[in-house]
């Protein structure tokens, strides 16, 4: 076997064998197959696609390129969630405490933000002292003692994916469905998840632009899960406009706290209840696919403050300053806070998620390359949802910036991200579909 023959075979539209895929991924991980050869294979896969069998084989080869965690002794049935990336997506901060408050432990490894999408770890690091880089032993001890962990990757999980993603990112090969599916599922499988809820975003601020594409990606991941003996539920959810109102690290932590204390935006609450409900169902707490049997318990845990209590416990367990979550005024604050008014009256027709995400990124909330530091204080808070009626002069957005100049640039960009209509506009759906592996 050699790398060139495997690349040529895929280039010509032939199906690769399990052995060829395993050989390529193993040799790429060890450095014997070179970056430009792996990039060529990704481009061939981008154009030729992969069969179900090939996709499952590349997923398992990537999952097994590093350590496979076994959390069954610590947690029993291991349930996890994954969002394909979004703007204002602070779901994990709310969903994990909710699920744990309902009696299902969760130990989750999250990522950092890249490009216009935010990352859970960056948000949590707005809190002084929060340790998002637990060691493997700290991870296991905290899972056992507290039943909730939210940290970065502790082990050498799916190293082939990390290496391959870095090449895909700079070679125009990220948007290949089998490669996205293998990338996401290899990490979840290596992380030891038995049940996985996938939140597959679709729209202006997502990789997938159409519901059809998002559905197809979801089905590929469900098939991988089935082939690997995992239960998967995939939600196809809206990412045309930001989720909730806040976009930016500390701003999103504040919105998550508000939500856990019963003052959250309606769309965010509903989104979190649905994701949490599907996690509980996979963990055996409910049977109904419409979540009617777990919903009352989730609503109660939100209303009675138990989920909020679990969030506080999580912050404390990971060394974060609990005073800052008890009093969010103590979280990092931007020196410039500028209000943006609506330049016209009408119904809001568009709040372009990617443009709002890029505005927050350029204010400093995200990073252009992996090693950039992030500014936890800055970002954008939108004050409306698509379908809202506004009057000229109404508050449209609030910009949190380091300088007046940065705020001015952001103001122009957020205004251009909005569109108005004289006619009534239907609110956007939160979810477009849900797919089950069973
Ligand atoms: N998220 C991932 O983890 N991998 C991809 O390829 C795309 C989104």
């Amino acid at each position: 076997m050699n790398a060139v023959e495997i690349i040529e075979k895929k280039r010509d539209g032939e199906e690769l064998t399990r052995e060829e895929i395993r050989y390529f991924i193993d040799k790429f991980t060890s450095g014997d197959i070179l970056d430009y050869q792996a990039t060529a294979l990704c481009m061939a896969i981008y154009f030729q696609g992969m069969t179900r069998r090939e996709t499952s084989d590349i997923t398992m080869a990537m999952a097994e390129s590093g350590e496979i965690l076994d959390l069954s002794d610590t947690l029993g049935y291991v349930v996890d969630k994954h969002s394909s990336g979004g703007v204002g997506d602070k779901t994990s901060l709310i969903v994990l405490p909710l699920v744990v408050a309902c009696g299902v432990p969760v130990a989750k490894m999250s990522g950092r933000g890249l490009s216009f999408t935010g990352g859970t770890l960056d948000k949590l690091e707005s809190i002084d002292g929060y340790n998002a880089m637990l060691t493997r032993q700290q991870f296991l001890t905290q899972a056992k003692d507290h039943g909730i962990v939210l940290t970065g990757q502790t082990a050498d999980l799916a190293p082939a994916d990390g290496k391959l993603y870095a090449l895909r990112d700079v070679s125009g090969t990220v948007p290949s469905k089998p490669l996205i599916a293998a990338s996401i599922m290899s990490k979840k499988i290596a992380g030891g998840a038995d049940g996985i809820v996938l939140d597959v975003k679709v729209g202006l601020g997502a990789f997938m632009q159409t519901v059809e594409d998002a559905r197809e990606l979801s089905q590929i991941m469900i098939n991988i899960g089935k082939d690997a003996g995992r239960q998967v539920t995939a939600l196809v959810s809206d990412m045309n406009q930001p989720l909730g109102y806040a976009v930016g690290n500390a701003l999103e932590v504040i919105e998550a706290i508000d939500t856990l204390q019963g003052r959250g935006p309606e769309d965010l609450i509903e989104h979190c209840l649905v994701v949490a409900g599907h996690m509980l169902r996979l963990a055996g707490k409910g049977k109904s696919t419409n979540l009617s049997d777990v919903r009352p318990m989730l609503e109660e845990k939100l209303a009675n403050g138990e989920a909020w209590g679990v969030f506080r416990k999580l912050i404390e367990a990971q060394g974060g300053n609990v005073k800052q979550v008890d009093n969010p005024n103590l979280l990092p604050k931007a020196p410039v806070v500028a209000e943006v008014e609506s330049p016209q009256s009408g119904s809001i027709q568009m709040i372009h998620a990617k443009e709002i995400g890029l505005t927050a990124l350029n204010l400093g909330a995200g990073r252009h390359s992996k090693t950039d530091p992030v500014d936890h204080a800055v970002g954008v808070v939108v004050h409306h949802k698509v379908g809202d009626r506004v009057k000229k002069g109404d508050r449209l957005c609030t910009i949190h910036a380091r300088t007046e100049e940065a705020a001015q640039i952001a103001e122009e960009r957020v205004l251009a991200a909005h569109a108005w209509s004289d006619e009534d506009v239907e609110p956007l759906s939160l979810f477009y579909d849900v797919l089950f592996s069973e």
Side-chain angles (χ1 to χ4, degrees), residues 54-364:
E54 285 177 297
T55 309
S56 285
D57 286 346
I58 196 170
T59 307
M60 290 315 291
M62 295 203 306
E64 288 165 7
S65 66
E67 189 180 350
I68 302 268
L69 274 188
D70 182 359
L71 296 173
S72 55
D73 287 349
T74 316
L75 299 183
Y77 184 91
V78 180
V79 68
D80 200 353
K81 75 169 273 282
H82 179 87
S83 153
S84 67
V87 177
D89 186 357
K90 65 284 290 173
T91 311
S92 292
L93 304 185
I94 302 152
V95 162
L96 260 63
L98 263 173
V99 170
V100 173
C102 292
V104 174
V106 190
K108 177 167 170 54
M109 291 180 216
S110 262
R112 295 192 181 280
L114 201 56
S115 183
F116 61 91
T117 65
T120 301
L121 302 185
D122 297 324
K123 294 170 201 185
L124 284 166
E125 282 175 350
S126 307
I127 303 163
D128 290 340
Y130 190 90
N131 182 2
M133 300 308 293
L134 297 183
T135 63
R136 194 172 193 286
Q137 195 47 51
Q138 287 170 321
F139 177 88
L140 293 172
T141 307
Q142 189 176 315
K144 209 179 202 119
D145 293 349
H146 298 285
I148 184 164
V149 190
L150 192 40
T151 184
Q153 218 164 280
T154 59
D156 194 23
L157 290 188
D161 173 61
K163 271 188 92 177
L164 206 60
Y165 191 87
L167 301 180
R168 288 168 57 214
D169 202 24
V170 291
S171 63
T173 52
V174 168
S176 150
K177 291 192 190 92
L179 290 179
I180 296 176
S183 166
I184 292 173
M185 292 299 287
S186 64
K187 286 174 289 208
K188 294 288 128 186
I189 291 169
D194 298 305
I196 306 156
V197 175
L198 298 167
D199 187 1
V200 181
K201 308 285 188 193
V202 58
L204 297 170
F207 282 125
M208 297 296 123
Q209 298 295 301
T210 67
V211 172
E212 236 1 273
D213 279 340
R215 224 179 247 137
E216 201 187 315
L217 176 63
S218 302
Q219 192 58 54
I220 296 172
M221 292 195 278
I222 282 180
N223 290 344
I224 294 171
K226 277 189 191 168
D227 293 346
R230 318 292 159 123
Q231 284 181 292
V232 181
T233 300
L235 303 164
V236 176
S237 71
D238 183 76
M239 192 30 73
N240 286 294
Q241 63 183 344
L243 186 57
Y245 295 119
V247 182
N249 300 297
L251 297 168
E252 292 190 45
V253 171
I254 295 170
E255 191 167 84
I257 293 170
D258 283 346
T259 305
L260 287 162
Q261 295 183 343
R263 303 183 300 270
E266 260 177 52
D267 65 324
L268 180 61
I269 296 173
E270 180 60 24
H271 188 94
C272 290
L273 290 173
V274 171
V275 173
H278 284 293
M279 288 174 78
L280 289 184
R281 196 184 78 84
L282 286 182
K285 288 271 172 188
K287 288 199 170 26
S288 162
T289 51
N290 70 13
L291 308 178
S292 55
D293 46 4
V294 289
R295 178 99 186 189
M297 173 164 52
L298 284 164
E299 286 175 356
E300 190 191 329
K301 301 291 178 190
L302 196 57
N304 70 10
E306 279 185 50
W308 161 242
V310 175
F311 179 80
R312 279 186 94 252
K313 191 170 79 174
L314 166 72
I315 302 305
E316 197 167 23
Q318 278 181 238
N321 181 358
V322 183
K323 283 191 192 132
Q324 284 178 301
V325 297
D326 285 341
N327 177 6
N329 268 323
L330 301 174
L331 285 166
K333 272 202 177 106
V336 178
V337 178
E339 300 295 350
V340 182
E341 292 178 356
S342 181
Q344 65 185 83
S345 300
S347 297
I348 302 221
Q349 194 174 36
M350 177 184 76
I351 308 173
H352 198 300
K354 183 172 178 180
E355 283 300 310
I356 301 288
L358 284 169
T359 309
L361 167 72
N362 288 337
L363 283 165

